Amino acid sequence: MQAFGQERQIALDNILDEIGTAKIECYRAEQFSGLLDGLIPIIKDATNIEAERVDCIIELLSTKQFVMVNEETNNFITIFKAKDLGNMMKAAFMNNSTPASVKESLAQSISSLGIIADVNDEYFKPILDLLFDRLKSLEEQFVITPYKKDIDPKRNKYGLRTLQSILNALCVYAIGGIEFQKEIANRGGIEIGYQYIQNKSAKTRVIAAYNQ
């Protein structure tokens, strides 16, 4: 049984590597449907030893879907929601037994995939609180070790560990409508946008502009 578990973990690692190097823009959304079906049983149990790998796979898909053809991006999100994966992820996020690293990855994916469509969603504020808490922690680290573009991770591995990943999640909400913007503004979102609009990273500057 243990050997079988190790084989599954290796298989998940291989899937993660393949998605990481794949030219997603050449794929059709439906090609990921079977993969998502296979991940569902593990997502339902966020304490599973394989949960972190699965959440990393979903997080990677949630970020790489932005380079798909627009129609395929919409199709991917439609397929994702049709499988009720969003609700499973939100439930896992709120589960007190879910490891902190998995919660961060879930928050990133939930945000990037636009799973929360309304500020009244009971999961929105806890996720927003986590985003701002992680941003505060990161800024405290910058006081000790100033931000340097050349050593900033190129891709989030995984969760809310980089400035870009946090700002990107906030950006998704910021462009989601006035009510989302109000919630972000009430937490100092406008000031944050101005703070990073001069960042050395071009991508961070663009994301920061949306948070103003």
Coordinates of all heavy atoms in Angstrom, one line a residue, residues 1-10 50:
M1 N 0.8 -1.2 0.0 CA 0.0 0.0 0.0 C 0.9 1.3 0.0 O 0.6 2.2 -0.7 CB -0.9 0.0 1.2 CG -1.9 1.2 1.3 SD -3.1 1.2 0.0 CE -4.1 -0.1 0.5
Q2 N 1.9 1.2 0.8 CA 2.8 2.4 0.9 C 3.5 2.6 -0.5 O 3.7 3.7 -0.9 CB 3.9 2.2 2.0 CG 4.8 3.4 2.1 CD 5.8 3.2 3.3 OE1 5.8 2.1 3.9 NE2 6.6 4.2 3.6
A3 N 3.9 1.5 -1.1 CA 4.6 1.6 -2.4 C 3.6 2.2 -3.4 O 4.0 3.0 -4.3 CB 5.0 0.2 -2.9
F4 N 2.3 1.8 -3.4 CA 1.3 2.4 -4.3 C 1.2 3.9 -4.1 O 1.0 4.6 -5.0 CB 0.0 1.6 -4.1 CG -1.1 2.2 -4.9 CD1 -1.2 2.0 -6.3 CD2 -2.2 2.9 -4.3 CE1 -2.2 2.5 -7.1 CE2 -3.2 3.4 -5.1 CZ -3.2 3.2 -6.5
G5 N 1.2 4.3 -2.8 CA 1.1 5.7 -2.4 C 2.2 6.5 -3.0 O 2.0 7.6 -3.5
Q6 N 3.4 5.9 -2.9 CA 4.6 6.6 -3.5 C 4.5 6.7 -5.0 O 4.9 7.7 -5.5 CB 5.9 5.8 -3.0 CG 6.2 5.9 -1.6 CD 7.4 5.0 -1.2 OE1 7.8 4.1 -1.9 NE2 7.9 5.3 0.0
E7 N 4.0 5.7 -5.6 CA 3.8 5.7 -7.1 C 2.9 6.8 -7.5 O 3.1 7.5 -8.5 CB 3.3 4.4 -7.6 CG 4.3 3.2 -7.5 CD 3.8 1.9 -8.0 OE1 2.6 1.9 -8.4 OE2 4.5 0.9 -7.9
R8 N 1.8 7.0 -6.7 CA 0.8 8.1 -7.0 C 1.5 9.4 -6.8 O 1.2 10.3 -7.6 CB -0.4 7.9 -6.1 CG -1.3 6.7 -6.5 CD -2.7 7.0 -6.3 NE -3.0 7.5 -4.9 CZ -4.3 7.8 -4.5 NH1 -5.3 7.6 -5.3 NH2 -4.5 8.2 -3.3
Q9 N 2.3 9.6 -5.8 CA 3.0 10.9 -5.6 C 3.9 11.2 -6.7 O 4.0 12.3 -7.1 CB 3.7 10.8 -4.2 CG 2.7 10.8 -3.0 CD 3.5 10.7 -1.7 OE1 4.5 11.4 -1.5 NE2 3.0 9.9 -0.8
I10 N 4.6 10.1 -7.2 CA 5.5 10.3 -8.3 C 4.8 10.7 -9.5 O 5.2 11.6 -10.3 CB 6.4 9.1 -8.5 CG1 7.3 8.8 -7.4 CG2 7.1 9.2 -9.9 CD1 8.1 7.5 -7.4
E50 N -1.2 13.6 -0.4 CA -1.1 14.0 -1.8 C -1.8 15.3 -2.1 O -1.7 15.9 -3.2 CB -1.7 12.9 -2.7 CG -1.0 11.6 -2.5 CD -1.8 10.4 -3.0 OE1 -3.0 10.6 -3.3 OE2 -1.3 9.3 -3.1

